[in-house]
């Protein structure tokens, strides 16, 4: 195959209408890859060779092939959009990369949900992003062939499959579908079987299907085409020959080409002699395109490293750009071709877009690293909504300098790095260990945030425990009748602990009238000849009290208290009430009542 030749016809839109960009989202293992493979596979079997075009990070399926697969559900004469461009998001968990100027890169999305598994963390996260970016979507209720008793109708429309099922099997499927509709509704999305939906702008259509057997796939393609044609036609009217605009999906090293960008172009054209401006960490890169690369026809981008060069690519398309100086470019960043406008104007444009995504940082807070600009933006949003301050937010793996920033934090809760879908470099790992910096990693944003919140709660609990350890605790106890073992120096008496916990070395008071009177210090606790540090409510023990003489300051039957300093009483009442046992709370209330009889503001 020649070095420059490639069929650009399906890569560019015709008549000024570009191909709608479709993203496939969903929880891990719910079938995203299988669904795309099935669509690709059906396209290859149905159409003539070359009918679909493999792009970098995307697959284009032209209208006539969609019509072939949809078997009569799609009449090409009813449509003037050129087909659909599916982004190969599987593997890129952070589909939030898929941003473009002003919103989502994908014009439309398929949310894949396993009918047996229902909503899972990444389903909810995907839905949140779809809602936030207001991306229209279809729900693919996948794996219907696993419903017990299923009678497969290979590659057919869903109605034919449903008609072929027994009543019992239909019921089983319905149960699963209704529970999906319920879960969608719990997440504020009203939905129904796609054929029941009249207003797709306010209701999500559900397509039951199997990515394995292909049944329901004709319906999925029909709905996608219909929605695009109906609601997106205007947005698809672009000047395909204008200067290109795109989003970086990935920054990769390519042998012979150095650092390259996998880009999805959503507007205009890019050519080999173009100058481009690309977003990087805290700056923009201006460079000249050295080569535009596409996979060889029908090759698998992830395994096949052989590319072919092309002179120009028009939206919507996926393309690999080789150019000098791309090392600092970041996934999710904008790419703009400089043509018609000056370099300065385009640079301003890219800077403005980067500024829009930039995370506002605080003076104190945690360090956040993410794999792409889009995911960084999404995680920063979540953290800000939860009032978690951020001191540094950047795209890239966790590096030693991130640990260095985290070590400057005063509070333990800020000596933390959250890594979303990134690696921790070895030296950073060592240093974090050494400096006692906690690093959390996850590929689901809200799980990452939850892990951090649990950690903070743990720190708070530990801090409370130390406070509790250093604080006097309320306790009341009664001297038992006929249990005076020694009058004084120290007085030794038998007592019953009424509420709270008695500790050694506590000051002891009696309430004589209203005022508390310190009578001495409780020196020791004994039970059956053994020395104890504490005695709990309900226990009877003998205690030695340094200070009083039985018969004078204290006597049989008296109720005694451990003395609470005012400051401790205040902390106990205002901060730790929930953390102390019920009997202690009761002792505290009674103690406070007694003190407040004399001074209403005591301990407030
Ligand atoms: N029976 C049945 N199995 C399916 C179907 N779709 C996917 N699977 C199986 O489910 C497993 C996961 O499917 P994938 O397509 O790899 O899932 P994914 O969502 O792309 O997973 P990641 O790319 O890892 O996020 C594989 O073993 C598939 O064969 C289906 O419709 N029916």
């Amino acid at each position: 195959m020649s070095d420059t030749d490639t069929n650009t016809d399906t890569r560019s839109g015709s008549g000024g209408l570009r191909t709608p960009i479709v993203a496939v989202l969903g929880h891990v293992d719910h079938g995203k890859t299988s669904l795309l493979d099935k669509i690709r596979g059906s396209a290859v079997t149905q159409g003539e060779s070359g009918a679909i075009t493999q792009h970098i990070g995307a697959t284009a399926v032209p209208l006539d092939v969609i019509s072939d697969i949809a078997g009569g559900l799609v009449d090409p004469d009813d449509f003037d959009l050129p087909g659909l461009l599916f982004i190969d998001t599987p593997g890129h968990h952070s589909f939030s990369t898929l941003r473009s100027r002003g919103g989502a890169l994908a014009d439309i999305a398929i949310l894949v949900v396993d009918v047996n598994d229902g909503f899972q963390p990444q389903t909810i996260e995907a839905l949140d992003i779809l809602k936030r970016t207001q991306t229209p979507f279809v729900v693919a209720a996948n794996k219907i062939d696993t419903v017990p008793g299923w009678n497969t109708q290979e590659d057919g429309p869903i109605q034919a499959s449903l008609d072929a099922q027994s009543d019992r099997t239909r019921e089983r499927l319905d149960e699963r579908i209704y529970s999906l509709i319920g879960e969608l509704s719990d997440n504020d999305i009203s939905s129904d079987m796609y054929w029941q939906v009249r207003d797709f702008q306010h209701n999500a259509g559900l397509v039951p299907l199997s990515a394995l057997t292909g049944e329901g796939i004709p319906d999925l393609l029909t709905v996608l085409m219909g929605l695009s044609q109906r609601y997106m036609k205007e947005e698809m009217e672009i000047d395909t020959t204008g200067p290109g605009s795109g989003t970086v999906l990935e920054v990769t090293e390519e042998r012979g080409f150095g650092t390259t960008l996998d880009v999805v172009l959503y507007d205009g054209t890019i050519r080999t002699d173009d100058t481009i401006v690309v977003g990087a960490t805290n700056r923009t890169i201006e460079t000249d395109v050295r080569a535009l690369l596409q996979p060889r026809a029908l090759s698998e981008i992830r395994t096949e490293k052989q590319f072919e060069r092309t002179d120009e690519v028009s939206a919507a398309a996926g393309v690999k750009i080789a150019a000098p100086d791309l090392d600092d470019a970041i996934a999710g960043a904008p790419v703009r071709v400089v043509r018609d406008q000056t370099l300065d104007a385009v640079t301003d444009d890219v800077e403005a877009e980067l500024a829009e995504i930039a995370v506002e940082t605080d003076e104190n807070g945690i360090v956040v690293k993410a794999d792409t600009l889009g995911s960084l933006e999404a995680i920063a949003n979540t953290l800000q909504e939860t009032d978690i301050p951020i001191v540094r937010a950047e795209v890239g793996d966790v590096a030693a300098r991130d640990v260095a920033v985290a070590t400057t934090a005063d509070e333990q809760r800020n000596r933390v790095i959250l890594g979303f879908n990134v690696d921790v470099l070895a030296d950073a790992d060592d240093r974090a260990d050494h400096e006692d910096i906690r690093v959390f990693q996850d590929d689901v944003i809200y799980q990452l945030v939850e892990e951090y919140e649990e950690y903070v709660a743990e720190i708070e609990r530990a801090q409370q425990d130390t406070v509790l350890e250093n604080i006097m605790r309320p306790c009341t106890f009664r001297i038992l009748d006929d249990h005076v073992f020694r009058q004084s120096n120290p007085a030794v008496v038998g007592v019953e602990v009424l509420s709270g916990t008695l500790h050694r070395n506590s000051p002891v008071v009696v309430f004589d009238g209203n005022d508390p009177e310190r009578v001495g210090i409780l020196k020791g606790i004994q039970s059956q000849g053994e020395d104890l540090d504490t005695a709990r409510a309900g226990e009877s023990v003998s205690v030695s009290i340094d200070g009083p003489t039985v018969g004078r300051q204290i006597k049989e039957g008296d109720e005694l208290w451990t003395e609470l300093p005012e400051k401790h009483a205040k902390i106990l009442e205002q901060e730790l009430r929930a953390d102390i046992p019920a009997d202690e709370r009761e002792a505290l209330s009674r103690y406070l009542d007694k003190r407040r009889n004399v001074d209403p503001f005591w301990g407030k």
Side-chain angles (χ1 to χ4, degrees), residues 391-413:
V391 71
R392 172 190 177 94
E394 275 186 12
V395 172
D397 289 334
V398 177
R401 61 177 188 280
D402 299 314
V403 180
V405 171
T407 56
T408 61
D410 292 335
E411 286 186 80
Q412 199 187 345
R413 63 171 64 203

Side-chain angles (χ1 to χ4, degrees), residues 338-500:
V338 183
R339 215 185 297 143
D340 307 346
Q341 278 180 299
T342 62
L343 175 65
D344 281 353
V346 176
T347 306
D348 285 352
D349 213 28
V350 172
E351 275 171 3
E353 208 177 313
L354 287 173
E356 197 182 291
I357 322 167
V359 175
E360 267 188 45
T361 51
D362 307 274
E363 212 163 296
N364 297 300
I366 59 172
V367 175
V368 182
K369 300 298 298 262
D371 59 341
T372 73
L373 271 182
S375 54
L376 192 65
E377 188 184 25
I379 190 166
N381 276 342
T382 311
L383 290 171
Q384 277 155 358
E385 275 162 21
T386 355
D387 290 328
I388 299 172
I390 304 168
V391 71
R392 172 190 177 94
E394 275 186 12
V395 172
D397 289 334
V398 177
R401 61 177 188 280
D402 299 314
V403 180
V405 171
T407 56
T408 61
D410 292 335
E411 286 186 80
Q412 199 187 345
R413 63 171 64 203
N414 289 338
R415 295 172 65 83
V416 165
I417 301 172
L418 300 192
F420 176 73
N421 238 0
V422 291
D423 290 330
V424 179
L425 303 177
D427 56 340
D429 205 19
D430 291 346
R431 185 149 180 203
D433 248 7
H434 194 246
E435 306 264 9
D436 206 18
I437 299 297
R438 280 296 290 266
V439 181
F440 294 91
Q441 288 172 276
D442 209 303
D443 55 11
V444 178
I445 290 176
Y446 84 80
Q447 281 181 357
L448 188 59
V449 175
E450 254 176 35
E451 280 169 47
Y452 173 66
E453 285 179 324
E454 271 165 32
Y455 174 65
V456 171
E458 210 178 277
I459 295 174
E460 281 171 357
R461 271 196 301 276
Q463 281 168 347
Q464 280 185 356
D465 285 350
T466 18
V467 173
L468 269 176
E469 265 170 33
N470 292 313
I471 223 164
M472 299 293 296
R473 309 275 288 272
C475 176
T476 160
F477 51 106
R478 193 169 56 85
I479 303 177
L480 299 168
D481 290 339
D482 303 324
H483 279 75
V484 177
F485 307 117
R486 187 171 160 157
Q487 295 302 122
S488 63
N489 287 324
V492 179
V493 292
V495 300
E496 182 196 357
V497 182
L498 302 174
S499 52

